Amino acid sequence: MSKVIALFSSARRNGNTGALIDTVAKLSKMTIINLDELNIAPFDYEYKNKEDDFLPLIEKVLMHQYIIFASPVYWYAVTPKMKAFIDRISDLLLLPELLDTGRQLRGKTAYIVSTSESKALSPIFSETFETTFTYLGIKYGGALHIDCSTGFDPQKNQQKIISFSNHLANPLT
């Protein structure tokens, strides 16, 4: 099994972010999980959602050292399914039987892969991830953001993609 898992979500699987994570995956050995194909219910204080796909997914995530969160930037935020996944991490912090599972996230390294119609990654978008990673004891490995205001062009962004993929293959974190 690869050391890298990518948690991907987008309204279009074959859109810009999908094309970007697929391009990175060709250069780096990784597992891609499409969150939009899973049943991940929103966070629920009564934990009525225990039978959905969240816990089996977390078990898969924990088998990897490096976690990529891949989402387009929608109004400075992640997709709804990515947000639901992140919110559900609260289960690992609040349910006594899942505390040990949640602690296994400590020491992992996480990355952001995103696309938008802006040259720079929105600080609001990245800070949300970075703050969450810090709180969970996850190291922040960096981000790959591509401006897709004229569509995704792998040739135009080849250097950034290769550099990011090389880092995944040989991380210094």
Side-chain angles (χ1 to χ4, degrees), residues 8-18 34-37 70-74 78-82 115:
F8 164 81
S9 178
S10 177
R12 297 179 299 148
R13 173 59 183 99
N14 296 315
N16 295 327
T17 308
N34 186 346
L35 297 178
D36 301 297
E37 294 176 348
S71 171
V73 179
Y74 291 158
V78 297
T79 65
K81 190 62 86 158
M82 181 71 72
T115 61

Side-chain angles (χ1 to χ4, degrees), residues 121-154:
L121 178 58
S122 163
I124 297 166
F125 186 89
S126 61
E127 287 172 11
T128 299
F129 278 112
E130 291 177 52
T131 303
T132 301
F133 299 157
T134 299
Y135 183 81
L136 295 171
I138 298 172
K139 299 173 197 164
Y140 176 53
L144 171 62
H145 177 76
I146 301 295
D147 175 3
C148 291
S149 53
T150 59
F152 175 66
D153 182 351

